[in-house]
Amino acid sequence: MYKHSIFRRLAVALAAFHILMVVQVPMANAAMIGTAEVLQQQQQQVDRQQLMSMLDDQGVQEKLQSMGVERSQVEQRINSLTGAELAQFNQQLQDAPAGSGVVGIIVLFLVIFIITDLLCATNIFSFVKCINR
Amino acid sequence: MLPPETSRLPERVELTSVPFFPQTAYQCGPAALATMLNQRGVVTSPGLLKDRVFIPEREGSLQVEMVATARAHDMLVYPLPPRLEALLAEVAAGNPVLVLQNLAFDWYPRWHFAVVVGYDQRERTLILRSGTTRRWQSDFTSFDSTWARGGRWAVLTLPADKLPAQPELRPWLKAASDLEETGHIEAAQRAYRTATLHWPEESLGWFALANSHYARGDTREAETALRKSLAQEPDFAVGWFNLSQVLGERGCQQSAKQALVCAQRLAPDEKRFAVSAGQALVASGQCALPPACPLAN
């Protein structure tokens, strides 16, 4: 009796599953692009623009110049950052102590990334020649 | 520490009606979450939530589980920007804030969840439902340092039709989309509708609403929302593409083809657009032409 009821439940579950599948079929025809994907793409654009806009700062430009880094190189590099890298960079910027000013923060991170690149610890800036290679 | 615009907020606020569940043992997670959910009218208790959010081996709860459990109750979990003034603004608007603190050190963390329910700008203190204390008072500075060690994590749990005090489109839509992806289709759709009411000029809100209509099998409503989305942003290629799929499914082959061509023109490199329009399920007698493509021949 007990077994019987298990099979019955199984049959009900299977039937329900089949009905669901049939209902789902019309959806499979179209290839709609999902909301989550579009949101993620747009967020990356926002992150990128945010980072780019920091290069407009006079102080940042002077600092980069004094370090011998061309703005176009940095721009190129920012454009080739992946979404995850961008998010990480922006997260670090957000976590940075307030009040130290945008110049300090961006240059600090640029310097950290460049130095870690030099040491081959990271590979953020393609224009940095890794000293071990 | 606080920017000048904070002075526009009331000097002191306390949400006295927010319930309190004192924690037992290490269970600040279930207690804080029960506080948040009950305030929104969800009847639950730390005991009921414990199994979902408390991990006995770790003697604590994880943020992801807290968030997932709030979603399981159809609540939208809205992350706040990591600034104290954002917390105050929400509390002033009647929204208690769930925060994560690290009460010890970076190298020896002691994580703690609490709920901010009040503040006093003159005294520079916050009032929290915390641990076993109903009105835990903490000054701004010491709260901020414990909060900073917790990554300044702060969220609201909101019903899908209630925007935060300082709403932003993308975080709202992201929170709604997370709700949708975890199977809370109806609540997510309400949240998208809330977005289109508050930001009718944003194409993305209409787009998200259209997708959720489509997911529920309502191609007519999906088409209407996509048209509104494209009216706000005519060069939104993905919107054109989805419109082509919906039109195709509704049996409007001619219009579908036009919309698809427009998507392809706007984003020539997108490989997924190199398909045919959606298959018709039923021939429809009511087909409207798509809007004018911004990139005509």
Side-chain angles (χ1 to χ4, degrees), chain A residues 83-101:
Chain A
E85 286 166 339
L86 270 173
Q88 191 193 352
F89 199 97
N90 278 306
Q91 181 63 42
Q92 279 169 319
L93 284 179
Q94 240 180 12
D95 288 348
S100 47

Side-chain angles (χ1 to χ4, degrees), chain B residues 6-7 23 26 28 32 65 75 85 88 101 104 118 126 144 179 181 206 223 235 248 251 265 276:
Chain B
T6 321
S7 60
Q23 76 175 58
Y26 293 99
C28 62
E65 267 124 21
M75 286 288 143
E85 67 268 22
L88 301 198
Q101 295 167 279
L126 290 172
D144 194 66
L179 204 51
E181 294 210 321
W206 292 109
E223 181 187 333
D235 55 1
R265 278 190 198 137
S276 58

Side-chain angles (χ1 to χ4, degrees), chain B residues 122-254:
Chain B
R122 184 180 295 179
E123 302 278 320
R124 302 180 57 78
T125 53
L126 290 172
I127 302 162
L128 299 103
R129 303 262 184 277
S130 179
T132 52
T133 314
R134 186 183 177 92
R135 290 180 81 254
W136 177 268
Q137 297 198 40
S138 173
D139 65 82
F140 284 174
T141 318
S142 59
F143 170 80
D144 194 66
S145 59
T146 60
W147 187 43
R149 284 198 296 264
R152 290 207 171 84
W153 187 85
V155 298
L156 303 176
T157 53
L158 296 165
D161 49 9
K162 184 169 181 0
L163 287 169
Q166 297 176 326
E168 288 200 46
L169 174 77
R170 270 166 234 285
W172 177 265
L173 289 181
K174 175 77 172 66
S177 160
D178 290 343
L179 204 51
E180 189 174 32
E181 294 210 321
T182 47
H184 299 267
I185 313 285
E186 205 174 312
Q189 191 172 69
R190 267 187 290 134
Y192 292 141
R193 191 162 287 134
T194 306
T196 60
L197 289 173
H198 188 78
W199 295 281
E201 72 291 348
E202 291 283 355
S203 63
L204 204 52
W206 292 109
F207 176 81
L209 182 62
N211 273 352
S212 83
H213 279 307
Y214 179 82
R216 303 178 79 184
D218 194 341
T219 49
R220 181 187 294 265
E221 287 291 320
E223 181 187 333
T224 309
L226 277 170
R227 284 175 183 273
K228 285 182 177 157
S229 174
L230 289 170
Q232 297 303 330
E233 192 185 342
D235 55 1
F236 182 26
V238 177
W240 280 99
F241 178 75
N242 279 10
L243 180 63
S244 78
Q245 301 297 304
V246 169
L247 286 170
E249 237 179 65
R250 299 200 60 219
C252 305
Q253 297 307 325
Q254 195 60 35

Side-chain angles (χ1 to χ4, degrees), chain B residues 3-193:
Chain B
E5 59 264 27
T6 321
S7 60
R8 266 181 254 142
L9 298 174
E11 191 178 69
R12 61 182 306 274
V13 173
E14 182 170 358
L15 309 174
T16 49
S17 63
V18 175
F20 173 56
F21 297 91
Q23 76 175 58
T24 50
Y26 293 99
Q27 299 173 5
C28 62
L33 193 58
T35 300
M36 295 295 285
L37 294 178
N38 274 275
Q39 189 264 339
R40 298 290 176 198
V42 177
V43 180
T44 187
S45 69
L48 288 171
L49 295 172
K50 194 186 76 184
D51 295 337
R52 303 196 66 136
V53 298
F54 187 71
I55 306 169
E57 299 83 58
R58 296 180 59 120
E59 293 185 335
S61 305
L62 296 175
Q63 285 142 288
V64 281
E65 267 124 21
M66 300 280 282
V67 168
T69 306
R71 276 193 203 121
H73 290 87
D74 268 358
M75 286 288 143
L76 195 128
V77 180
Y78 184 90
L80 291 181
R83 293 187 300 272
L84 190 58
E85 67 268 22
L87 269 55
L88 301 198
E90 294 302 336
V91 171
N95 299 321
V97 184
L98 177 64
V99 290
L100 175 69
Q101 295 167 279
N102 176 0
L103 301 178
F105 310 100
D106 284 333
W107 48 270
Y108 179 72
R110 212 159 73 72
W111 301 110
H112 182 66
F113 287 103
V115 180
V116 183
V117 295
Y119 66 79
D120 188 328
Q121 289 205 64
R122 184 180 295 179
E123 302 278 320
R124 302 180 57 78
T125 53
L126 290 172
I127 302 162
L128 299 103
R129 303 262 184 277
S130 179
T132 52
T133 314
R134 186 183 177 92
R135 290 180 81 254
W136 177 268
Q137 297 198 40
S138 173
D139 65 82
F140 284 174
T141 318
S142 59
F143 170 80
D144 194 66
S145 59
T146 60
W147 187 43
R149 284 198 296 264
R152 290 207 171 84
W153 187 85
V155 298
L156 303 176
T157 53
L158 296 165
D161 49 9
K162 184 169 181 0
L163 287 169
Q166 297 176 326
E168 288 200 46
L169 174 77
R170 270 166 234 285
W172 177 265
L173 289 181
K174 175 77 172 66
S177 160
D178 290 343
L179 204 51
E180 189 174 32
E181 294 210 321
T182 47
H184 299 267
I185 313 285
E186 205 174 312
Q189 191 172 69
R190 267 187 290 134
Y192 292 141
R193 191 162 287 134

